[in-house]
Amino acid sequence: MTDLHPVRRALLSVSDKTGLIELGKALAERGVELLSTGGTAKALRDAGLVVKDVSEITGFPEMMDGRVKTLHPMVHGGLLALRDNDTHVAAMSEHGIDAIDLLVVNLYPFEATVAKGAGYDECVENIDIGGPAMIRAAAKNHAFVNVVVDVEDYEKLLGDMDQHDGATCPKFRRKLAQKAYARTAAYDTAVSNWLADALQLEAPRRRAFAGELKQTLRYGENSHQQAAFYTDGTNRPGVATAIQHQGKELSYNNINDTDAAFELVAEFDPTEGAACAIIKHANPCGVAKGATLLEAYKAAFDCDRTSAFGGIVALNQPLDAETAQEITGIFTEVVIAPGASDEAKAIFAAKKNLRLLTTDALPDVTAGGKTVRQVAGGLLVQDKDNGFVGLDDLKVVTKKAPTDEQMRDLLFAWKVAKHVKSNAIVYVKDGATVGVGAGQMSRVDSALIAAKKAERMADALGLAQPLTIGSAVASDAFFPFPDGLMEAAEAGATCVIQPGGSMRDDEVIAAADEAGLAMVFTGMRHFRH
């Protein structure tokens, strides 16, 4: 028996009717009999197509508000029967079951219903039952049956049929089956995770994750690694939902760094002033606030001009022409902002390799969610770090209390430190980072590196002294010994923000008092590995 099987009979039942009429007409022109249900059948008939209702072949009307319509042997027998099995063929003949060669189904919009914030009962009603059952049946029998779950595959189906005189080839059917099982898996994942959230289960016995391919990537972190980018359907403002206006395709590292940059700059409310974050290798090399975006960008750039070369720039306000012009002064990989003026876009148009991404909003840094990391043999899952510390949460632990101006810089430094790889040390002065130490095994080394960078920038900018003199310093976790704190003091820091909680807090506080530092505890740490 040939592996090419003609498509003579198709069952179409779709929630998303994009391209439905065109597909129905194309199938009818190729002599395919159309079966359908409910609204899909009506849409096809309204377009002038001849359609047989599923209820005609099952002998049962749709009932229970459409919950029961395709769960019937006349449907599933037509999908599951092995055409080369004599017993199956005999059963089909005995019970009057006709083969279904093509199933076109997309599911009730459960994910979209959850995303819009619908109530519990509405979400339950949007859990599809018949659709996944038919998809799985057709996918299992892909030796004979085509199952299409994506609108994007309509043309591919017709193309394969045309290539094989109305039949399809086994490789194509296998590809469709893989997509089908991935779709039902993603659907069940969405339902199970929604229920886990509704039940407030911190650690469900089984946890599933799913994504939809957004783009294949040229390679991963390195050229010998294959990679792809998947979206999770949450529609959080950021790189996954942004519009790319120009520039070549984003790379794996571009996506990772752009996400880090936009999540950081979102810490700064645009109604309270412009802010800019410049990221290199997922760490900030400059973050600043300013009266304008241009001012914020210049201050961020002056933190570490060397590292900013080839970096990612994130803004908390729509990009304007003046800032765009300044950014083009050095090579920049990506700029992401909640909008951009036409003038700014025109300026960037001259830079072919610069990618401009815009979103319709900033991400909500207080929103919940999960982060997932793969380890050998498993997955590490945790809540997103949406911890927030405000002025009223700070505890002054030294004899000297910070001034109001110092408090502003301390809170700024704390927001930045949350987004710096541990061990993190961040020096801030006048609403701008002036030194960042990231990812060191020792907190002392992070303090030293950040100070050394500040010294080099002072030389490059022709300053009389490093901007760490008179700065505020943030540590993402407690100082286990006074040594790291003293390095910050020697660099010129005058006030400190840190979580506290060390067995040697008293030693560290005493050292701060002796050095004349003001220090506050947050009671919260921000490890970022």
Side-chain angles (χ1 to χ4, degrees):
M1 178 179 289
T2 179
D3 286 332
L4 295 175
H5 293 287
V7 179
R8 298 191 180 98
R9 199 161 180 254
L11 170 54
L12 294 79
S13 181
V14 295
S15 174
D16 177 3
K17 294 177 176 55
T18 304
L20 171 66
I21 303 306
E22 292 80 4
L23 176 63
K25 289 180 177 179
L27 291 173
E29 289 170 358
R30 289 162 175 78
V32 179
E33 180 186 5
L34 304 182
L35 309 177
S36 192
T37 61
T40 305
K42 182 180 185 303
L44 291 169
R45 285 198 187 96
D46 289 348
L49 294 167
V50 176
V51 184
K52 181 180 288 187
D53 281 312
V54 165
S55 59
E56 293 181 49
I57 65 170
T58 63
F60 280 86
E62 293 184 17
M63 62 182 73
M64 302 178 187
D65 299 318
R67 284 190 171 201
V68 179
K69 53 189 174 185
T70 59
L71 298 170
H72 193 280
M74 298 298 285
V75 173
H76 285 268
L79 292 171
L80 282 166
L82 297 173
R83 294 2 178 213
D84 59 356
N85 184 302
D86 291 342
T87 303
H88 287 206
V89 173
M92 292 174 70
S93 178
E94 179 182 355
H95 297 288
I97 299 173
D98 290 327
I100 299 173
D101 308 304
L102 167 64
L103 176 71
V104 181
V105 170
N106 54 57
L107 305 175
Y108 293 171
F110 177 81
E111 296 100 329
T113 303
V114 172
K116 74 176 184 179
Y120 188 92
D121 290 343
E122 184 179 350
C123 289
V124 169
E125 284 306 308
N126 276 277
I127 298 175
D128 204 324
I129 301 300
M134 288 192 295
I135 289 171
R136 291 177 62 82
K140 176 175 181 175
N141 203 23
H142 63 265
F144 304 97
V145 180
N146 304 271
V147 53
V148 178
V149 296
D150 288 330
V151 173
E152 292 79 4
D153 285 327
Y154 290 178
E155 286 298 324
K156 294 176 184 176
L157 167 71
L158 297 172
D160 201 69
M161 289 175 63
D162 290 344
Q163 186 177 348
H164 299 104
D165 297 323
T168 58
C169 70
K171 184 178 181 180
F172 179 70
R173 294 193 298 272
R174 289 188 198 112
K175 286 183 178 179
L176 291 178
Q178 185 278 325
K179 290 183 180 181
Y181 280 121
R183 179 64 187 112
T184 56
Y187 198 77
D188 288 342
T189 293
V191 175
S192 66
N193 286 338
W194 168 75
L195 277 170
D197 290 342
L199 292 168
Q200 297 183 324
L201 299 179
E202 293 183 3
R205 178 72 179 85
R206 289 183 172 83
R207 169 75 78 172
F209 299 92
E212 182 175 349
L213 181 67
K214 181 178 177 67
Q215 69 184 85
T216 55
L217 303 172
R218 298 192 304 278
Y219 51 82
E221 285 185 284
N222 302 290
S223 59
H224 61 277
Q225 295 172 269
Q226 292 186 338
F229 183 30
Y230 290 83
T231 57
D232 63 9
T234 56
N235 293 321
R236 182 178 176 87
V239 65
T241 55
I243 297 171
Q244 182 171 348
H245 296 274
Q246 68 166 69
K248 60 186 178 181
E249 185 179 89
L250 292 168
S251 70
Y252 180 101
N253 293 327
N254 291 153
I255 293 169
N256 188 56
D257 289 353
T258 302
D259 177 68
F262 206 51
E263 290 289 328
L264 193 166
V265 85
E267 296 280 353
F268 303 100
D269 187 340
T271 65
E272 296 177 0
C276 171
I278 306 174
I279 294 288
K280 193 70 170 289
H281 300 310
N283 274 307
C285 52
V287 186
K289 292 182 67 176
T292 65
L293 281 181
L294 178 60
E295 185 179 304
Y297 172 75
K298 285 182 175 181
F301 180 55
D302 283 346
C303 177
D304 186 353
R305 291 185 172 185
T306 301
S307 298
F309 184 86
I312 310 293
V313 174
L315 307 169
N316 73 337
Q317 295 177 353
L319 175 67
D320 56 69
E322 293 78 13
T323 308
Q325 189 65 56
E326 187 71 21
I327 290 172
T328 60
I330 68 161
F331 171 57
T332 299
E333 289 274 8
V334 181
V335 175
I336 183 169
S341 69
D342 290 340
E343 293 80 6
K345 292 176 185 176
I347 291 168
F348 275 6
K351 298 289 184 178
K352 294 181 179 180
N353 290 329
L354 191 159
R355 294 91 154 181
L356 172 62
L357 306 181
T358 62
T359 66
D360 57 5
L362 291 170
D364 180 1
V365 295
T366 66
K370 300 292 182 186
T371 64
V372 184
R373 175 174 293 178
Q374 187 170 17
V375 296
L379 299 170
L380 280 172
V381 182
Q382 66 173 348
D383 290 336
K384 189 177 183 65
D385 184 1
N386 61 351
F388 173 79
V389 170
L391 187 62
D392 294 338
D393 300 308
L394 301 180
K395 178 184 178 182
V396 178
V397 295
T398 48
K399 295 175 183 178
K400 181 182 289 187
T403 65
D404 290 346
E405 183 179 354
Q406 286 176 325
M407 278 293 196
R408 285 193 291 271
D409 277 347
L410 287 170
L411 286 171
F412 184 99
W414 184 248
K415 289 180 178 180
V416 176
K418 173 183 172 183
H419 295 266
V420 179
K421 301 289 186 181
S422 298
N423 288 313
I425 293 290
V426 178
Y427 295 94
V428 166
K429 188 173 184 180
D430 299 330
T433 57
V434 294
V436 179
Q440 299 304 305
M441 291 68 75
S442 162
R443 198 163 297 279
V444 177
D445 288 342
S446 289
L448 282 166
I449 289 170
K452 183 59 68 176
K453 282 177 170 286
E455 290 175 9
R456 287 204 298 262
M457 276 309 303
D459 290 341
L461 296 172
L463 303 178
Q465 60 184 16
L467 290 176
T468 50
I469 305 297
S471 67
V473 66
S475 174
D476 64 339
F478 61 65
F479 288 100
F481 302 97
D483 53 358
L485 183 75
M486 290 302 95
E487 289 295 345
E490 287 184 23
T494 57
C495 55
V496 183
I497 186 169
Q498 60 135 321
S502 168
M503 292 187 297
R504 295 182 176 83
D505 272 350
D506 289 343
E507 283 183 49
V508 175
I509 293 170
D513 282 332
E514 186 175 347
L517 300 174
M519 185 162 65
V520 297
F521 283 1
T522 65
M524 175 188 293
R525 78 177 187 195
H526 281 308
F527 269 158
R528 189 177 185 87
H529 292 103

Short mmCIF file of all heavy atoms in Angstrom, two decimals, residues 77-112:
data_model
loop_
_atom_site.label_atom_id
_atom_site.label_comp_id
_atom_site.label_asym_id
_atom_site.label_seq_id
_atom_site.Cartn_x
_atom_site.Cartn_y
_atom_site.Cartn_z
N GLY A 77 -14.30 7.06 15.28
CA GLY A 77 -14.03 5.89 14.45
C GLY A 77 -13.48 6.29 13.10
O GLY A 77 -12.55 5.66 12.57
N GLY A 78 -14.03 7.38 12.54
CA GLY A 78 -13.55 7.87 11.25
C GLY A 78 -12.14 8.42 11.32
O GLY A 78 -11.41 8.39 10.33
N LEU A 79 -11.75 8.89 12.52
CA LEU A 79 -10.40 9.43 12.69
C LEU A 79 -9.38 8.35 13.04
O LEU A 79 -8.23 8.41 12.62
CB LEU A 79 -10.39 10.50 13.79
CG LEU A 79 -11.14 11.80 13.50
CD1 LEU A 79 -11.22 12.65 14.78
CD2 LEU A 79 -10.45 12.59 12.39
N LEU A 80 -9.81 7.34 13.82
CA LEU A 80 -8.86 6.39 14.38
C LEU A 80 -8.69 5.11 13.56
O LEU A 80 -7.73 4.36 13.77
CB LEU A 80 -9.29 6.01 15.80
CG LEU A 80 -8.96 7.06 16.89
CD1 LEU A 80 -9.72 6.76 18.17
CD2 LEU A 80 -7.46 7.09 17.15
N ALA A 81 -9.61 4.84 12.67
CA ALA A 81 -9.56 3.57 11.94
C ALA A 81 -8.30 3.44 11.09
O ALA A 81 -7.93 4.36 10.35
CB ALA A 81 -10.80 3.44 11.05
N LEU A 82 -7.65 2.29 11.22
CA LEU A 82 -6.49 1.99 10.37
C LEU A 82 -6.98 1.47 9.04
O LEU A 82 -7.66 0.43 8.97
CB LEU A 82 -5.60 0.95 11.05
CG LEU A 82 -4.97 1.38 12.39
CD1 LEU A 82 -4.26 0.20 13.05
CD2 LEU A 82 -4.01 2.54 12.18
N ARG A 83 -6.64 2.19 7.98
CA ARG A 83 -7.18 1.86 6.67
C ARG A 83 -6.61 0.54 6.12
O ARG A 83 -7.21 -0.05 5.22
CB ARG A 83 -6.87 2.94 5.66
CG ARG A 83 -7.44 4.34 5.76
CD ARG A 83 -8.32 4.77 6.86
NE ARG A 83 -8.66 6.19 6.68
CZ ARG A 83 -8.86 7.02 7.65
NH1 ARG A 83 -8.74 6.61 8.90
NH2 ARG A 83 -9.20 8.28 7.41
N ASP A 84 -5.49 0.09 6.66
CA ASP A 84 -4.89 -1.16 6.16
C ASP A 84 -5.11 -2.33 7.11
O ASP A 84 -4.47 -3.37 7.00
CB ASP A 84 -3.40 -0.96 5.91
CG ASP A 84 -2.65 -0.55 7.18
OD1 ASP A 84 -3.31 -0.33 8.23
OD2 ASP A 84 -1.41 -0.43 7.12
N ASN A 85 -6.05 -2.14 8.07
CA ASN A 85 -6.37 -3.20 9.02
C ASN A 85 -7.75 -3.75 8.67
O ASN A 85 -8.76 -3.04 8.76
CB ASN A 85 -6.34 -2.64 10.45
CG ASN A 85 -6.59 -3.69 11.51
OD1 ASN A 85 -7.61 -4.35 11.50
ND2 ASN A 85 -5.64 -3.82 12.44
N ASP A 86 -7.81 -5.04 8.28
CA ASP A 86 -9.08 -5.62 7.82
C ASP A 86 -10.15 -5.56 8.89
O ASP A 86 -11.34 -5.36 8.59
CB ASP A 86 -8.87 -7.07 7.38
CG ASP A 86 -8.03 -7.16 6.11
OD1 ASP A 86 -7.92 -6.14 5.40
OD2 ASP A 86 -7.48 -8.25 5.85
N THR A 87 -9.77 -5.76 10.15
CA THR A 87 -10.75 -5.73 11.25
C THR A 87 -11.35 -4.34 11.39
O THR A 87 -12.56 -4.18 11.58
CB THR A 87 -10.08 -6.14 12.57
OG1 THR A 87 -9.51 -7.44 12.42
CG2 THR A 87 -11.09 -6.16 13.70
N HIS A 88 -10.48 -3.31 11.29
CA HIS A 88 -10.96 -1.93 11.38
C HIS A 88 -11.88 -1.59 10.21
O HIS A 88 -12.94 -0.97 10.38
CB HIS A 88 -9.78 -0.96 11.40
CG HIS A 88 -9.02 -0.95 12.68
ND1 HIS A 88 -8.29 0.13 13.11
CD2 HIS A 88 -8.86 -1.90 13.64
CE1 HIS A 88 -7.72 -0.14 14.27
NE2 HIS A 88 -8.03 -1.38 14.59
N VAL A 89 -11.48 -2.02 9.03
CA VAL A 89 -12.28 -1.75 7.83
C VAL A 89 -13.64 -2.43 7.93
O VAL A 89 -14.68 -1.86 7.58
CB VAL A 89 -11.53 -2.20 6.57
CG1 VAL A 89 -12.43 -2.07 5.34
CG2 VAL A 89 -10.26 -1.36 6.37
N ALA A 90 -13.65 -3.65 8.45
CA ALA A 90 -14.92 -4.39 8.61
C ALA A 90 -15.82 -3.69 9.62
O ALA A 90 -17.05 -3.60 9.42
CB ALA A 90 -14.62 -5.83 9.05
N ALA A 91 -15.24 -3.20 10.73
CA ALA A 91 -16.03 -2.50 11.74
C ALA A 91 -16.62 -1.22 11.16
O ALA A 91 -17.79 -0.88 11.44
CB ALA A 91 -15.15 -2.18 12.95
N MET A 92 -15.84 -0.52 10.35
CA MET A 92 -16.35 0.70 9.71
C MET A 92 -17.53 0.36 8.82
O MET A 92 -18.56 1.05 8.84
CB MET A 92 -15.25 1.37 8.89
CG MET A 92 -14.11 1.96 9.71
SD MET A 92 -12.76 2.58 8.67
CE MET A 92 -13.51 4.02 7.94
N SER A 93 -17.41 -0.71 8.05
CA SER A 93 -18.49 -1.12 7.15
C SER A 93 -19.73 -1.52 7.92
O SER A 93 -20.85 -1.14 7.57
CB SER A 93 -18.00 -2.26 6.26
OG SER A 93 -19.03 -2.70 5.41
N GLU A 94 -19.54 -2.30 8.98
CA GLU A 94 -20.67 -2.80 9.77
C GLU A 94 -21.46 -1.68 10.41
O GLU A 94 -22.69 -1.73 10.49
CB GLU A 94 -20.14 -3.76 10.84
CG GLU A 94 -21.24 -4.33 11.74
CD GLU A 94 -20.68 -5.24 12.82
OE1 GLU A 94 -19.46 -5.52 12.81
OE2 GLU A 94 -21.47 -5.66 13.69
N HIS A 95 -20.74 -0.65 10.88
CA HIS A 95 -21.42 0.42 11.62
C HIS A 95 -21.62 1.70 10.81
O HIS A 95 -22.07 2.71 11.35
CB HIS A 95 -20.60 0.76 12.88
CG HIS A 95 -20.49 -0.39 13.84
ND1 HIS A 95 -21.53 -0.83 14.61
CD2 HIS A 95 -19.44 -1.22 14.12
CE1 HIS A 95 -21.15 -1.86 15.36
NE2 HIS A 95 -19.87 -2.12 15.06
N GLY A 96 -21.32 1.63 9.53
CA GLY A 96 -21.56 2.79 8.66
C GLY A 96 -20.67 3.97 8.96
O GLY A 96 -21.09 5.12 8.80
N ILE A 97 -19.45 3.70 9.37
CA ILE A 97 -18.50 4.77 9.69
C ILE A 97 -17.66 5.09 8.45
O ILE A 97 -17.02 4.20 7.89
CB ILE A 97 -17.57 4.36 10.85
CG1 ILE A 97 -18.39 4.09 12.12
CG2 ILE A 97 -16.52 5.44 11.11
CD1 ILE A 97 -17.57 3.52 13.27
N ASP A 98 -17.67 6.34 8.04
CA ASP A 98 -16.85 6.78 6.91
C ASP A 98 -15.56 7.40 7.42
O ASP A 98 -15.54 8.09 8.46
CB ASP A 98 -17.61 7.80 6.07
CG ASP A 98 -18.77 7.16 5.32
OD1 ASP A 98 -18.65 6.00 4.94
OD2 ASP A 98 -19.80 7.86 5.14
N ALA A 99 -14.49 7.17 6.71
CA ALA A 99 -13.17 7.69 7.11
C ALA A 99 -13.15 9.21 7.03
O ALA A 99 -13.76 9.82 6.15
CB ALA A 99 -12.09 7.10 6.22
N ILE A 100 -12.45 9.81 7.96
CA ILE A 100 -12.16 11.25 7.94
C ILE A 100 -10.67 11.39 7.69
O ILE A 100 -9.85 10.93 8.48
CB ILE A 100 -12.57 11.93 9.26
CG1 ILE A 100 -14.08 11.79 9.50
CG2 ILE A 100 -12.16 13.41 9.26
CD1 ILE A 100 -14.55 12.27 10.86
N ASP A 101 -10.32 12.01 6.58
CA ASP A 101 -8.92 12.08 6.16
C ASP A 101 -8.21 13.35 6.62
O ASP A 101 -6.98 13.40 6.63
CB ASP A 101 -8.84 12.03 4.63
CG ASP A 101 -9.62 10.85 4.07
OD1 ASP A 101 -9.34 9.71 4.48
OD2 ASP A 101 -10.54 11.08 3.25
N LEU A 102 -8.99 14.35 6.99
CA LEU A 102 -8.41 15.63 7.38
C LEU A 102 -9.22 16.21 8.53
O LEU A 102 -10.45 16.29 8.46
CB LEU A 102 -8.41 16.60 6.20
CG LEU A 102 -8.12 18.08 6.50
CD1 LEU A 102 -6.71 18.26 7.05
CD2 LEU A 102 -8.34 18.95 5.25
N LEU A 103 -8.53 16.59 9.58
CA LEU A 103 -9.16 17.29 10.71
C LEU A 103 -8.52 18.67 10.83
O LEU A 103 -7.30 18.80 10.92
CB LEU A 103 -8.95 16.51 12.01
CG LEU A 103 -9.49 17.19 13.27
CD1 LEU A 103 -11.03 17.17 13.28
CD2 LEU A 103 -8.94 16.54 14.53
N VAL A 104 -9.36 19.70 10.81
CA VAL A 104 -8.89 21.07 11.00
C VAL A 104 -9.57 21.62 12.25
O VAL A 104 -10.78 21.84 12.26
CB VAL A 104 -9.21 21.96 9.78
CG1 VAL A 104 -8.68 23.38 10.02
CG2 VAL A 104 -8.60 21.38 8.51
N VAL A 105 -8.79 21.80 13.30
CA VAL A 105 -9.35 22.23 14.59
C VAL A 105 -8.40 23.25 15.22
O VAL A 105 -7.18 23.05 15.25
CB VAL A 105 -9.51 21.03 15.56
CG1 VAL A 105 -9.85 21.52 16.96
CG2 VAL A 105 -10.58 20.07 15.07
N ASN A 106 -8.94 24.36 15.71
CA ASN A 106 -8.22 25.14 16.71
C ASN A 106 -9.15 25.32 17.90
O ASN A 106 -10.36 25.31 17.78
CB ASN A 106 -7.67 26.46 16.16
CG ASN A 106 -8.71 27.33 15.49
OD1 ASN A 106 -9.71 27.69 16.10
ND2 ASN A 106 -8.48 27.66 14.22
N LEU A 107 -8.57 25.44 19.06
CA LEU A 107 -9.29 25.22 20.31
C LEU A 107 -9.94 26.48 20.86
O LEU A 107 -9.61 27.60 20.48
CB LEU A 107 -8.33 24.63 21.33
CG LEU A 107 -7.61 23.35 20.88
CD1 LEU A 107 -6.58 22.92 21.90
CD2 LEU A 107 -8.61 22.25 20.60
N TYR A 108 -10.89 26.26 21.79
CA TYR A 108 -11.49 27.39 22.49
C TYR A 108 -10.37 28.29 23.04
O TYR A 108 -9.34 27.78 23.51
CB TYR A 108 -12.34 26.93 23.67
CG TYR A 108 -13.58 26.15 23.32
CD1 TYR A 108 -14.32 25.53 24.33
CD2 TYR A 108 -14.05 26.05 22.02
CE1 TYR A 108 -15.47 24.81 24.06
CE2 TYR A 108 -15.20 25.33 21.73
CZ TYR A 108 -15.90 24.71 22.76
OH TYR A 108 -17.04 24.00 22.48
N PRO A 109 -10.55 29.58 23.03
CA PRO A 109 -9.46 30.51 23.41
C PRO A 109 -9.24 30.57 24.92
O PRO A 109 -9.43 31.62 25.55
CB PRO A 109 -9.94 31.84 22.84
CG PRO A 109 -11.43 31.75 22.92
CD PRO A 109 -11.77 30.31 22.60
N PHE A 110 -8.83 29.47 25.51
CA PHE A 110 -8.65 29.44 26.96
C PHE A 110 -7.57 30.41 27.41
O PHE A 110 -7.75 31.18 28.36
CB PHE A 110 -8.29 28.02 27.43
CG PHE A 110 -8.00 27.94 28.90
CD1 PHE A 110 -9.04 27.87 29.82
CD2 PHE A 110 -6.70 27.98 29.38
CE1 PHE A 110 -8.79 27.84 31.18
CE2 PHE A 110 -6.43 27.94 30.74
CZ PHE A 110 -7.48 27.87 31.65
N GLU A 111 -6.40 30.36 26.75
CA GLU A 111 -5.29 31.23 27.16
C GLU A 111 -5.69 32.70 27.09
O GLU A 111 -5.35 33.49 27.99
CB GLU A 111 -4.06 30.99 26.29
CG GLU A 111 -3.47 29.59 26.40
CD GLU A 111 -3.88 28.67 25.26
OE1 GLU A 111 -5.00 28.86 24.74
OE2 GLU A 111 -3.08 27.80 24.90
N ALA A 112 -6.39 33.09 26.02
CA ALA A 112 -6.80 34.48 25.87
C ALA A 112 -7.83 34.86 26.93
O ALA A 112 -7.85 36.00 27.42
CB ALA A 112 -7.38 34.71 24.47
#
